[in-house]
Every structure is written in structure tokens, then in C-alpha cells.
Amino acid sequence: MSVSSVVLLPYAPSSVAVARQRLSTDLEDSGVSTGCIDDAVLVVSELLSNALRHAHPLPSGMVRVAWLWSEDHIEVAVSDGGAATEPRAGRPTLSSLGGRGLGIVEYVAESWGVRHDGDTTTVWAVLPAPNGSVNGRTPALKEAG
């Protein structure tokens, strides 16, 4: 059993909260444990915030957020119109005000990376969601709506 969604959102800071809510609701409705949901929401927040801060929108003026949950992992991905530099985890000083996003992703996720497809850049991350992490319910595939 797996659940997946793809959401196109405006290239705007308000989209971070929308993506967090949609992902959280989708995974919660599927019975994923709260801890796994919290990790996935944190990672999506960091990836989307980085896209909005450092990259261009897709040609449509939007950004794409996607996720896939299967029995043992959650994969999240944010696609944008690319940037002048390659996304990489920084090593900020303690007094730095930013630069921790991909470091957080690197810490929380099992793996993460960057894919390029023409002018589209996708930063993805895979998080553990072991079989025992379901909230005592049988996952149910939601109808796309």
C-alpha cells in the first residue's frame, strides 16, 4: 500500500504552510505515525523554503511538491526552475542566521539528493517510515481530489 500526491503551489512564502498542511493531512489519513509525519513535514519545509529563497520558479510560475509513502519510507521532493548554484548542505557558524536547511535534511533523512531535468531542479529526500510506524490502522489510499 502506498500514498502519493503532487501539488503545484505558488512561488510564495505562504506555500510552505500549505505544503506542510497537505502533507501532514495526507500522511495522517494514511495512518503514518506522528513522529514520521513530523520529520517529513520538517524536511518539506526546509526543501521548499530553500527553493523559494535560492531558486527560480518553474516556467508556470509555480513550485512542485511531491511525496510518496510506502510501507517503509516516505520520499518527498520539491521541484523548481533551478538556481545559479547547486543545492548542498552548508556548514554555518553558530552565529549564522541561516544556512542550516539542507544540514537538517541531511540529519533527518536516510538519503537526499538533486536531480536535473532540463531547466527543472528537484531536491528529494527519503525518510524512514518503518512498518511499525503506522498508527494502528490499515493504510487507506485516498482518492485524488
Side-chain angles (χ1 to χ4, degrees), residues 13-135:
S14 59
S15 291
V16 176
V18 174
R20 289 173 60 97
Q21 185 59 51
R22 292 281 302 271
L23 173 60
S24 179
T25 299
D26 223 17
L27 295 177
E28 192 174 283
D29 289 351
S30 299
V32 176
S33 75
T34 302
C36 293
I37 293 170
D38 291 347
D39 287 350
V41 166
L42 172 63
V43 168
V44 160
S45 295
E46 295 299 337
L47 296 181
L48 185 50
S49 294
N50 281 352
L52 295 170
R53 188 174 299 117
H54 301 293
H56 302 287
L58 294 166
S60 64
M62 310 284 264
V63 288
R64 184 172 56 241
V65 180
W67 55 88
L68 170 67
W69 172 69
S70 65
E71 295 302 317
D72 62 350
H73 71 275
I74 301 166
E75 181 175 349
V76 295
V78 174
S79 301
D80 57 50
T85 59
E86 184 75 3
R88 63 179 177 79
R91 301 290 177 246
T93 64
L94 290 176
S95 60
S96 295
L97 297 177
R100 291 176 178 78
L102 287 177
I104 291 169
V105 171
E106 195 171 72
Y107 180 79
V108 174
E110 287 180 345
S111 59
W112 73 277
V114 181
R115 286 191 300 263
H116 298 282
D117 182 18
D119 291 335
T120 301
T121 298
T122 300
V123 183
W124 57 268
V126 176
L127 298 97
N131 285 334
S133 68
V134 177
N135 286 332

